[in-house]
Amino acid sequence: MSDENIVDINERRPSDEWRKYTKLIAVAVILIVIVVTIISNLFIVEQGEYKVVRQFGEVVRIENEPGLSYKIPFIQNVTTLPKYQMVYDIPPAEINTRDKKRMLADHYAVWKIESPQLMISNARTFQNAEAIMGELIFSAIRAELGQLNFDEIINEEQSSRGSFNDLVRDRVNEALERNKYGILLTDVRMKRIDLPEENEEAVYRRMISERQSTAQDYLSQGDAEANRVRAKTDKEVQEMLAKANADANEIIGEGEAEAAKIYNESFGRDTEFYQLYRTLQSYETTINDETVIVLPADSPYARILMGYID
């Protein structure tokens, strides 16, 4: 056998330096795995939320302070619950009023989680808690509206909505607290009130008839008031005209008396001039383009008419 076919096993063994590098790489990989595992099991608690830590399905702790926290790898998981107030839109539901009329009530509610432990223990999930609250709200709304007449609900002047919302809220919160659901209803409001489609047309006709009747009453009252004002005004006008005519006649009489006095005084001073003036006035009233007068030529009337004045 030649020496070329002989292999020295010691020459093929890894060197000490290579083994050192291999150990370093293994340690580095392990460290990276540990760091990644730790980082992947850290979680941040944000403002306005709860972090629920569960182990094998059971709640082990709840983090509610903002900051950094952790969970045990592989055996714990984290879920989030809102800490702020939320709005729940209650589906419209048909309700009977005290006077046996049907209506569709549409509401919304504002609520929040006060105790995540109680909510998870008794309602199990967020969706279940919201559904339970919705059923309680609907039950309370139906009970409260069932004590009111239809007109009291739709008529703003007679509405009891101000206290109605508080009554519903208090009744629901009593039930939530009694069953330890860990949630609180902060407010409930009515969005709108509708009628079932088969009742809308009849109600609209009745409303139109009532409005027309009210309008006719207003028109009748207006006509009566207008006639009263006209009669009063006509009476006042007649009284004013009568007083004005009386005052005018008195003034005219005083003027005529004063004129007659002045005429008498003036004509008394010259009787011949007065006779001439009266003669000229008679000409104006008796003579026109077709007048024919037969008088003696030496008649004073004729002489004046002919322009012969002594």
Side-chain angles (χ1 to χ4, degrees), residues 225-237:
E225 183 66 16
N227 291 333
R228 188 184 65 80
V229 172
R230 289 193 193 99
K232 181 180 178 181
T233 303
D234 291 343
K235 180 181 178 181
E236 292 176 352
V237 169

Side-chain angles (χ1 to χ4, degrees), residues 27-204:
V27 170
V29 171
I30 293 171
L31 289 175
I32 291 173
V33 171
I34 293 173
V35 170
V36 170
T37 302
I38 293 173
I39 292 175
S40 64
N41 286 278
L42 294 175
F43 59 89
I44 298 174
V45 182
E46 299 284 353
Q47 185 76 27
E49 67 180 14
Y50 299 104
K51 291 292 186 181
V52 181
V53 181
R54 299 173 185 265
Q55 182 173 319
F56 303 119
E58 297 295 329
V59 177
V60 293
R61 74 177 191 276
I62 294 176
E63 300 287 348
N64 58 7
E65 294 296 330
L68 189 65
S69 189
Y70 69 95
K71 66 181 179 66
I72 299 174
F74 309 115
I75 64 173
Q76 290 184 344
N77 59 4
V78 178
T79 57
T80 302
L81 290 175
K83 196 175 183 179
Y84 48 80
Q85 295 196 112
M86 296 161 287
V87 176
Y88 175 61
D89 192 5
I90 306 168
E94 189 170 303
I95 294 173
N96 291 325
T97 61
R98 186 171 63 181
D99 50 355
K100 307 303 180 184
K101 294 183 179 178
R102 291 187 300 164
M103 54 181 287
L104 292 174
D106 192 2
H107 294 73
Y108 72 92
V110 181
W111 68 289
K112 65 179 181 178
I113 300 173
E114 278 203 321
S115 174
Q117 295 92 334
L118 291 177
M119 192 207 79
I120 294 171
S121 298
N122 298 298
R124 307 305 299 172
T125 65
F126 176 88
Q127 291 75 15
N128 286 344
E130 194 173 51
I132 291 170
M133 181 189 65
E135 292 177 0
L136 292 174
I137 292 174
F138 171 71
S139 177
I141 289 174
R142 183 173 56 186
E144 293 298 334
L145 289 182
Q147 299 177 21
L148 299 175
N149 290 325
F150 182 79
D151 292 339
E152 293 177 325
I153 298 173
I154 65 172
N155 192 332
E156 292 294 340
E157 295 180 357
Q158 302 175 5
S159 176
S160 302
R161 291 181 187 174
S163 60
F164 167 79
N165 296 325
D166 296 338
L167 290 172
V168 171
R169 182 196 62 201
D170 295 341
R171 176 178 289 200
V172 172
N173 280 332
E174 287 175 3
L176 292 172
E177 184 177 0
R178 184 170 57 251
N179 293 280
K180 300 187 184 321
Y181 285 118
I183 60 178
L184 176 69
L185 179 65
T186 57
D187 197 9
V188 58
R189 293 288 170 181
M190 182 182 295
K191 290 195 296 185
R192 61 193 177 100
I193 287 290
D194 287 334
L195 295 170
E197 294 182 1
E198 60 271 19
N199 294 351
E200 285 185 357
E201 190 63 31
V203 172
Y204 289 154

Side-chain angles (χ1 to χ4, degrees), residues 174-287:
E174 287 175 3
L176 292 172
E177 184 177 0
R178 184 170 57 251
N179 293 280
K180 300 187 184 321
Y181 285 118
I183 60 178
L184 176 69
L185 179 65
T186 57
D187 197 9
V188 58
R189 293 288 170 181
M190 182 182 295
K191 290 195 296 185
R192 61 193 177 100
I193 287 290
D194 287 334
L195 295 170
E197 294 182 1
E198 60 271 19
N199 294 351
E200 285 185 357
E201 190 63 31
V203 172
Y204 289 154
R205 287 197 298 268
R206 181 172 62 84
M207 292 174 64
I208 292 172
S209 177
E210 290 176 354
R211 296 299 181 270
Q212 289 176 344
S213 177
T214 302
Q216 189 58 47
D217 289 341
Y218 287 151
L219 289 173
S220 299
Q221 294 175 9
D223 290 341
E225 183 66 16
N227 291 333
R228 188 184 65 80
V229 172
R230 289 193 193 99
K232 181 180 178 181
T233 303
D234 291 343
K235 180 181 178 181
E236 292 176 352
V237 169
Q238 294 299 326
E239 291 176 353
M240 293 173 64
L241 289 175
K243 186 176 184 303
N245 289 332
D247 293 341
N249 291 332
E250 183 179 354
I251 293 172
I252 291 172
E254 292 176 354
E256 290 177 349
E258 184 67 20
K261 179 181 178 183
I262 293 173
Y263 285 146
N264 292 333
E265 290 178 356
S266 299
F267 295 147
R269 295 177 183 176
D270 189 344
T271 57
E272 293 182 358
F273 174 75
Y274 175 70
Q275 290 178 354
L276 174 63
Y277 177 75
R278 296 295 294 173
T279 301
L280 293 175
Q281 282 187 327
S282 67
Y283 292 163
E284 291 181 356
T285 58
T286 58
I287 299 175

